[in-house]
Amino acid sequence: MEEKKISVHEKPRGENVYVYVNEYKGTTYLHIREWYLDADKEEKPTKKGVTLPLDKVDALRKALDEVMAEAQAGK
């Protein structure tokens, strides 16, 4: 599986938050992770982020929908 990163947020100091999917030891994961540029200008992941097995993505989506609905109702 080819890894495709989608940028969802660029931070002021140049870090980027990406969403992407990859496989590790036979399990496919969704990552929401911060990446940075090292001294050689190569992008590398940080420990700041979340990794979920794909079978948990629907629960995440439902939780996000619920939180966003509550946040928008509070405006």
Side-chain angles (χ1 to χ4, degrees), residues 21-34:
V21 173
N22 77 353
E23 190 173 316
Y24 180 72
K25 292 188 177 183
T27 302
T28 305
Y29 294 94
L30 170 77
H31 297 267
I32 304 170
R33 183 150 316 280
E34 187 175 295

Side-chain angles (χ1 to χ4, degrees), residues 16 18 33 42 45 47-48 50 57 64 75:
N16 280 296
Y18 289 106
R33 183 150 316 280
E42 182 179 339
K47 292 182 179 182
K48 298 176 184 176
V50 175
V57 171
L64 287 171
K75 286 186 174 182

Side-chain angles (χ1 to χ4, degrees), residues 7 9-10 27-28 37 39-40 46 49-50 52 57 59-60 64 69 71-72:
S7 179
H9 178 61
E10 187 172 333
T27 302
T28 305
L37 289 177
D40 296 325
T46 70
V50 175
L52 293 172
V57 171
L60 173 64
L64 287 171
Q72 291 172 349

